[in-house]
Amino acid sequence: MPGVGLGQLLLALDATLVSLVPDGRAPRGLDLPVRSAALIDSDDVRLGLAAAAGSADVFFLLGVGDGEALRWIDKQARDRVPVAIFVKKPAEALVARAAAVGTAVVAVEPQARWERLYQLVNHVLDHHGDRSDPTEDSGTDLFGLAQSLADRIHGMVSIENAQSHVLAYSASNDEADELRRLSILGRAGPPEHLKWINQWGIFDALRAGGEVVRIDERPELGLRPRLAIGVHRPPAGARPAPEFAGTIWVQQGSQPLADDADEILRGAAVLAARIMSRLAARPSTHARRIQQLLGLVDGDPAEVVAIARELGLPADRTATLIGFDTTGAEPGHARLADVMALSASAFRPDAQVAAQASRVYVLLPQTSTTRSVASWVRGTIGALRTELGVELRAVIAAPVAGLTGVAAARAEVDRVLDSAARHPVSIGRVTSLAEARTTVLLDEIVGLIGSDERLVDPRIRELRARDPVLAETLRAYLDSFGDAGLAAAWLQVHPNTVRYRVRRIEKLLSVSLADPEVRLLFSLGLRVPDDV
């Protein structure tokens, strides 16, 4: 994966959020590719918990003291020199030490929210088109769209989602007002600004249609003139009407906006809706890597070690894989995978989650015991049943011998879940591959037999058609290993009745049930459903 150049990343983030220190240069240049980012806090450094993130290219140092930061960067440089570190108010000693090992230091605006910056960086890494790749052009890049729109109509542009979180923006200048600056920093806009915008029904107008909304200047609030337009994704699937997906805001500076700004802004809303739809349907880079590990998408098995290194996961340690089946969940629980990811991350910070159709998979690297895992799985199923009213089934695969075995384990988990869907009573709500193996193999064997009518003894079909009671007695007798008493208890009849029926069966079918091959053949045939 080529990644995004450090300079390109910083340009996308804008001077409102970050600046390169000390003088806008990086020790190893601005073309170094950035593919991943990691958050590191003081506890991670002090307790040595940051090792799992060791393969990241850039790091955000949250609340890490100057001394801790110096020790951390020395230790990190011995393994893999970071491309850059993001720090609020970096000390001169840290800047000098980072430069000595070849790491750029990016100063973060003190008012910026770390989680917002982290989200923006990952958004850029996942969706900011790599201009060297013709398949990743500005048609998939909200940042590129924002800057192109700003250049065309001479304003400062920001694109927000339906929850008013900034997704992308153009470069700012000294004329950016407080509302724009705070929105980019991830801070809530000044209450008086938001109250005024709400009072005038601007948000209602943006959600209601696709017309451009004009917002007048309010000098007493420090609010510059603006244009805004709602972004609406077209109807799709079960969605009968366009869906409000966000807003494009254009703040005017001292230069007038283009005469055709309204027309161009309407076109931008169409493009933004198209990009948002594409991004919503396309998993992030991290999600694709997890899917590759699980064998859910095409990939070269030889790349597993490289993918593990990229994700900061140990490739050779035993792991645990849990597969959840959410079949039957209500449509309102479409984000169930996200809810489960929250639970998994609370249980294990290094948990990796992927979803496909009705299945959600949780990978737990470096797992040596499954007792706590089984407890967490049962607790999660119980909590989601109580809080969301959904019934889940789970299969635990452990131990998995290294990440190279995860794809095969996932295929085995799917076999169990498929079998459980066909025979929900036979397999418990929480089971393991070992516990379910007999049931699954027998189910699959019977399925293969049932798929070819030549493999079902015609005498079984004849007996079922002629006398279903005798067919039921035969299965009970065979399942009871020829014990008439056990079969009678299951059928709730007298043992002599079972013996009489067995003699009738042997006579009708011209066989001896003392023959083990006959018993095996009939036992399998009787397990094939009547309608197959």
Side-chain angles (χ1 to χ4, degrees):
M1 183 177 63
V4 175
L6 175 60
Q8 187 182 14
L9 173 63
L10 297 179
L11 283 175
L13 294 176
D14 189 58
T16 303
L17 268 176
V18 298
S19 60
L20 197 61
V21 294
D23 54 3
R25 292 183 298 175
R28 292 184 286 163
L30 294 172
D31 294 329
L32 284 179
V34 177
R35 303 177 182 86
S36 58
L39 291 163
I40 302 296
D41 63 21
S42 181
D43 286 342
D44 291 333
V45 175
R46 181 170 51 83
L47 301 176
L49 301 177
S55 64
D57 294 309
V58 297
F59 294 86
F60 302 86
L61 303 188
L62 285 68
V64 178
D66 294 341
E68 288 179 325
L70 287 169
R71 290 191 295 273
W72 175 82
I73 200 167
D74 283 338
K75 182 177 184 299
Q76 191 68 27
R78 290 197 293 268
D79 300 322
R80 187 168 182 262
V81 177
V83 173
I85 56 174
F86 287 66
V87 188
K88 290 185 178 181
K89 298 181 179 179
E92 291 184 6
L94 177 61
V95 174
R97 185 60 191 144
V101 301
T103 296
V105 177
V106 180
V108 177
E109 163 63 39
Q111 284 189 293
R113 296 181 67 92
W114 279 113
E115 67 273 18
R116 184 71 197 113
L117 177 60
Y118 183 64
Q119 290 168 358
L120 278 172
V121 167
N122 278 294
H123 184 85
V124 175
L125 297 184
D126 287 336
H127 306 306
H128 199 47
D130 177 12
R131 302 304 184 264
S132 66
D133 184 350
T135 66
E136 295 287 345
D137 60 18
S138 61
T140 61
D141 180 5
L142 286 175
F143 277 92
L145 174 63
Q147 190 59 54
S148 298
L149 179 60
D151 294 340
R152 174 64 176 77
I153 64 175
H154 317 306
M156 287 171 279
V157 176
S158 59
I159 302 175
E160 299 180 353
N161 64 13
Q163 291 74 43
S164 298
H165 296 154
V166 177
L167 299 177
Y169 46 84
S170 65
S172 300
N173 57 36
D174 294 340
E175 298 170 339
D177 63 18
E178 191 71 355
L179 180 57
R180 173 180 172 83
R181 195 178 72 85
L182 290 177
S183 296
I184 291 174
L185 292 175
R187 299 286 177 179
E192 59 272 21
H193 289 192
L194 300 179
K195 180 180 178 181
W196 181 80
I197 291 174
N198 264 321
Q199 283 178 341
W200 282 87
I202 292 171
F203 285 131
D204 291 337
L206 292 171
R207 287 176 168 82
E211 293 304 313
V212 175
V213 177
R214 293 185 172 273
I215 299 105
D216 294 332
E217 183 175 18
R218 293 296 298 267
E220 73 277 13
L221 296 176
L223 193 66
R224 302 298 297 268
R226 272 173 171 72
L227 298 183
I229 189 169
V231 177
H232 294 82
R233 290 163 59 185
R239 193 171 68 238
E243 176 189 29
F244 177 70
T247 307
I248 301 178
W249 297 91
V250 181
Q251 185 212 309
Q252 180 179 330
S254 57
Q255 182 179 5
L257 297 179
D259 292 339
D260 59 353
D262 286 20
E263 180 183 351
I264 300 302
L265 196 52
R266 282 192 287 270
V270 173
L271 290 178
R274 190 178 301 159
I275 295 170
M276 288 180 179
S277 296
R278 191 175 302 144
L279 297 184
R282 174 177 132 185
S284 68
T285 301
H286 181 91
R288 290 197 298 274
R289 293 294 179 263
I290 300 300
Q291 289 175 339
Q292 285 178 284
L293 282 182
L294 296 177
L296 295 172
V297 295
D298 292 337
D300 186 352
E303 294 180 352
V304 168
V305 174
I307 293 172
R309 186 182 304 115
E310 180 181 329
L311 296 173
L313 304 176
D316 56 352
R317 299 285 296 276
T318 58
T320 294
L321 178 69
I322 306 107
F324 292 88
D325 196 325
T326 64
T327 301
E330 295 295 326
H333 299 311
R335 306 301 295 176
L336 195 57
D338 292 341
V339 175
M340 295 183 66
L342 292 174
S343 177
S345 298
F347 174 62
R348 281 277 300 272
D350 59 349
Q352 308 295 323
V353 181
Q356 186 175 69
S358 67
R359 305 274 166 85
V360 179
Y361 305 92
V362 177
L363 173 64
L364 302 176
Q366 306 183 78
T367 305
S368 57
T369 178
T370 60
R371 182 176 300 176
S372 60
V373 172
S375 177
W376 170 73
V377 170
R378 291 189 177 90
T380 298
I381 290 177
L384 293 182
R385 180 191 301 118
T386 300
E387 301 299 332
L388 300 181
V390 297
E391 292 288 349
L392 306 180
R393 187 181 298 277
V395 177
I396 302 171
V400 180
L403 297 187
T404 54
V406 168
R410 193 271 310 162
E412 292 296 306
V413 165
D414 279 346
R415 288 175 63 191
V416 179
L417 291 174
D418 290 343
S419 183
R422 293 187 292 267
H423 307 283
V425 178
S426 302
I427 298 177
R429 283 285 170 187
V430 179
T431 189
S432 66
L433 295 183
E435 291 170 342
R437 194 172 304 282
T438 299
T439 302
V440 172
L441 287 173
L442 182 58
D443 173 49
E444 292 177 342
I445 290 169
V446 171
L448 289 173
I449 293 172
S451 66
D452 188 343
E453 63 178 12
R454 298 174 303 171
L455 299 180
V456 179
D457 194 309
R459 292 172 292 185
I460 294 298
R461 297 188 187 278
E462 180 184 345
L463 183 64
R464 278 176 163 165
R466 181 171 180 174
D467 194 332
V469 173
L470 289 183
E472 183 185 24
T473 300
L474 176 57
R475 176 163 181 177
Y477 180 75
L478 294 174
D479 286 354
S480 301
F481 304 101
D483 187 322
L486 286 176
W490 189 81
L491 296 168
Q492 296 183 332
V493 298
H494 195 279
N496 285 340
T497 302
V498 173
R499 296 185 184 98
Y500 169 74
R501 291 176 181 175
V502 168
R503 288 195 296 271
R504 282 192 61 199
I505 292 168
E506 288 180 319
K507 185 175 181 179
L508 283 171
L509 303 184
S510 301
V511 296
S512 170
L513 295 178
D515 185 334
E517 293 184 351
V518 170
R519 292 199 302 271
L520 175 61
L521 184 64
F522 283 7
S523 182
L524 290 173
L526 286 164
R527 280 172 164 74
V528 177
D530 291 338
D531 55 354
V532 174

